[in-house]
Amino acid sequence: MPVIKGLEWTFDTVAGKYEKLRPGYTDELYKMIFDYITIDNSSNVVEVGIGGGQATLPILQTGCNLTAIEYGENFSKLCEEKFKEYKKFSVITDKFENVSFSDSKYDLVYSASAFHWVPEDIGYSKVYAMLKSGGVFARFANHPYRDKGNIVLSEEIDKLYSKYYCKYYGKAIKSEKEYSKEQAMQRAQIAKKYGFIDIKHALFYRTRTFSAKEYIELLGTYSDHIAIEETIRTEFFSKIEETINLYGGSFTIYDTIDLQLARKP
């Protein structure tokens, strides 16, 4: 289900669970970033929306100076502890759009499954100003698509979404579609509007399989699910767990990870 604007606060209420259950990113993705720009111990880097630090370690391991921006106080504390051995790492607790950065200072600004929370015109313009000439903006995100190998299970879960989720939010259920090459290309081209050049994009794929209980725990890290009133959410999740157990006992997610790279002239 899509993210609903204005629910940024919800993630911080489940910071520990989010850090445990949300996936990281593929080695191939980081290779593409590092082939596009060299990051080393002289580089200055900013991560927008660190969350549970799912995208942080491969960047830190380059030896760079990394400043993370995170709106959630619990996430900030979690990542300060998680990466405390890296003396060139720091976290600012605030929204990206509220923080002042020096112009033309940074080699890389990147954001993993977080930049959609930042208004486009503010976000891209600010990143452009922050980067040195030749500096890079890397935007990437995971787009999960639920079990397409078990059609009956998916249909039964659709019924539960209609009964609980859609009724709660007052909307009709929409057919979910896998993230496409066309969508990735359109997202990549946004950077061109703000003066970036040398734009590249790529898609990476993987699957993840969960038990019914694990899948319910994962749903409990999604903003729009967290915001459902507790008694409704509890019954909704219980019915999903029962349904998964009735139709095989496991649930597979098909991930599409998109990466966009763009350079400041």
Side-chain angles (χ1 to χ4, degrees), residues 10-11 13 19 21 60 76 81 87 93 99 114 118 146 157 184 230 239 261:
T10 57
F11 296 114
T13 66
E19 190 271 339
L21 292 170
L60 276 176
S76 292
E81 176 63 24
K87 304 308 179 186
T93 305
V99 181
V118 183
R146 69 169 191 259
I157 288 180
E230 185 176 2
K239 294 295 184 183
L261 295 167

Side-chain angles (χ1 to χ4, degrees), residues 184-249:
M185 187 179 300
Q186 289 170 7
R187 179 172 285 182
Q189 292 307 308
I190 294 172
K192 187 179 292 186
K193 298 193 302 185
Y194 297 91
F196 289 92
I197 61 170
D198 193 19
I199 294 166
K200 298 184 184 302
H201 70 278
L203 295 177
F204 307 90
Y205 302 94
R206 69 178 169 206
T207 59
R208 294 175 287 146
T209 299
F210 300 86
S211 69
K213 182 179 171 67
E214 289 169 340
Y215 185 64
I216 293 309
E217 290 179 345
L218 177 67
L219 288 182
T221 69
Y222 290 126
S223 60
D224 47 355
H225 291 61
I226 298 167
I228 295 172
E229 194 276 322
E230 185 176 2
T231 57
I232 297 171
R233 184 177 71 246
T234 299
E235 183 176 337
F236 177 35
F237 283 9
S238 176
K239 294 295 184 183
I240 291 177
E241 185 173 359
E242 288 176 12
T243 301
I244 292 172
N245 282 326
L246 185 63
Y247 290 92

Side-chain angles (χ1 to χ4, degrees), residues 98-167:
N98 295 341
V99 181
S100 295
F101 293 95
S102 299
D103 288 350
S104 304
K105 177 180 178 180
Y106 297 94
D107 300 278
L108 172 67
V109 178
Y110 76 100
S111 186
S113 298
F115 209 69
H116 57 282
W117 292 111
V118 183
E120 179 190 305
D121 57 339
I122 296 173
Y124 278 88
S125 298
K126 187 165 189 170
V127 169
Y128 188 92
M130 291 166 61
L131 289 170
K132 300 174 181 177
S133 176
V136 169
F137 178 40
R139 176 179 178 174
F140 48 104
N142 186 48
H143 304 275
Y145 183 73
R146 69 169 191 259
D147 204 330
K148 58 186 179 183
N150 192 334
I151 302 301
V152 176
L153 174 57
S154 289
E155 289 174 348
E156 292 300 315
I157 288 180
D158 275 343
K159 293 175 185 176
L160 294 174
Y161 268 90
S162 182
K163 180 178 179 180
Y164 292 97
Y165 180 99
C166 295
K167 183 178 180 181

